[in-house]
Amino acid sequence: MRRAMAEAPVGDDVYGEDPTTTALEQRVAELLGHEAGLLTPSGSMANVLGVRLLVEPGQELLCDSLAHVVRAEMGAHGALGGVTTRTWPSASRPGAPVGLVDPDVVEALMTPDAGPYLVSTAAVAVENTHNFGGGTITPLPVLQDLRERTRAAGVAVHLDGARLWNAVVAEGTGLAGLAAHGACADTVSVCLSKGLGAPVGSVLVGSAERVERARVLRKRLGGGMRQTGVLAAAGLHALDHHVDRLAEDHRRARELAAACAAARPGCVDPAAVRSNIVVLDVPGAPEVAAAAAARGVRTSALGPRVLRLVTHLDVDDDGARRAAEVLHELLAGLPDGGGPPGASDEPRGHRQP
């Protein structure tokens, strides 16, 4: 990947003169069945642009309550785009996986023509795979069902596909399945730096007209860049070499989940782990994360009881086994009411819904 970056032909992308960036944007757009693409520095910027193309200031975006667009993008959609949001519960029905889209629930929330006193729904955002849901995958038929309902209501769809690569690999369709997912949305963002391993970058795709407008908005946000071919080359290399191997990350995630469940039954359901994210329900999660880090295993504490593990191409089988051993030992020694032995009982709280 670094060799490809060093050897990439480059130009000034602000003027549309970087051939490697143009090649990446066109390739991703074609993979997703859209007319055009736009490289952005981050997935958050791609989402902000994608939503803003569909929702005018004062209009409404619908999404689930743990969606990345409302939980992890610093309020940018409201602060910069004037977009209001309403959410449905991430676990929309009892027993449903967190982050799984339920078209019935979404349709019941849509008010596309709310009149002069209420906010009108302009778009729906869905996330596949779902980050805070633990890599939950919404199957393609469900997305197609939602698309038909939104189209009938005159409501647009933005697909936050930061980890869409993981979804299509888990579904067994690989890159060939991307176009079907892309057809379910008016704008789609995909990330190159998650499981694909590029150092920087996401691509937003949509119609040629929308992407041209997004290019202007990107510049307004400070996202106009010069010789971006050195970054785009990493994305092209990742598409050539790092998609099919995502299945290895999925296998390692299941093995990690099984080790954690064996040490502390009920903290995770290994059978529900289909992609590369494992979310554990454990007391004293920040303390467990600190104890694991002290032993060379880095995890993310997302709340008092929420610990997130993510597998990726820099974690091989030996690394995954080492992580499983450390986490198994820590979780097995975890008292029912607190953190690791000798750790403080604070902070406490309940797992996110």
Side-chain angles (χ1 to χ4, degrees), residues 9-301:
V10 298
D12 190 334
D13 185 55
V14 169
Y15 292 96
E17 297 173 350
D18 191 295
T20 309
T21 300
T22 299
L24 173 67
E25 292 170 339
Q26 291 175 343
R27 182 173 177 187
V28 174
E30 290 169 2
L31 285 171
L32 286 159
H34 284 259
E35 291 180 336
L38 181 70
L39 178 66
T40 65
S42 68
S44 292
M45 182 181 283
N47 281 337
V48 167
L49 294 174
V51 168
R52 182 63 185 84
L53 294 174
L54 307 177
V55 186
E56 292 299 318
Q59 291 183 323
E60 175 180 78
L61 175 75
L62 302 180
C63 61
D64 83 75
S65 61
L66 291 179
H68 195 277
V69 294
V70 291
R71 294 298 301 140
E73 295 178 7
M74 308 305 293
H77 298 272
L80 303 177
V83 174
T84 70
T85 56
R86 265 192 310 142
T87 62
W88 63 83
S90 287
S92 55
R93 296 183 187 274
V98 173
L100 179 65
V101 176
D102 186 330
D104 289 337
V105 172
V106 180
E107 186 176 36
L109 278 178
M110 292 191 300
T111 56
D113 186 9
Y117 299 108
L118 301 175
V119 178
S120 294
T121 306
V124 172
V126 294
E127 186 177 334
N128 205 25
T129 68
H130 195 286
N131 183 5
F132 295 135
T136 298
I137 297 169
T138 294
L140 178 58
V142 175
L143 294 176
Q144 292 170 330
D145 180 14
L146 178 66
R147 177 62 163 173
E148 290 303 314
R149 300 188 196 208
T150 56
R151 182 182 288 115
V155 172
V157 175
H158 172 69
L159 174 56
D160 176 359
R163 294 176 176 85
L164 191 59
W165 323 103
N166 294 88
V168 297
V169 168
E171 289 181 333
T173 59
L175 288 177
L178 284 170
H181 285 267
C184 296
D186 298 277
T187 55
V188 185
S189 63
V190 287
C191 189
L192 303 168
S193 68
K194 299 288 193 299
L196 295 193
V200 176
S202 287
V203 177
L204 173 71
V205 303
S207 68
E209 181 181 0
R210 284 192 171 114
V211 169
E212 191 59 32
R213 183 179 172 218
R215 190 174 295 275
V216 174
L217 294 174
R218 184 187 68 174
K219 183 69 162 62
R220 186 172 294 157
L221 293 176
M225 300 175 288
R226 302 298 181 179
Q227 289 75 31
T228 51
V230 294
L231 302 177
L236 287 168
H237 179 90
L239 291 177
D240 287 337
H241 301 286
H242 293 169
V243 177
D244 290 341
R245 63 147 304 281
L246 291 173
E248 301 172 13
D249 296 340
H250 300 172
R251 171 181 57 80
R252 292 174 184 133
R254 290 191 295 271
E255 292 169 356
L256 274 170
C260 293
R264 188 175 179 84
C267 70
V268 65
D269 177 8
V273 176
R274 295 192 56 211
S275 61
N276 68 323
I277 301 176
V278 181
V279 175
L280 306 178
D281 178 5
V282 295
E287 297 157 350
V288 177
R295 298 180 59 176
V297 177
R298 298 176 70 92
T299 63
S300 298

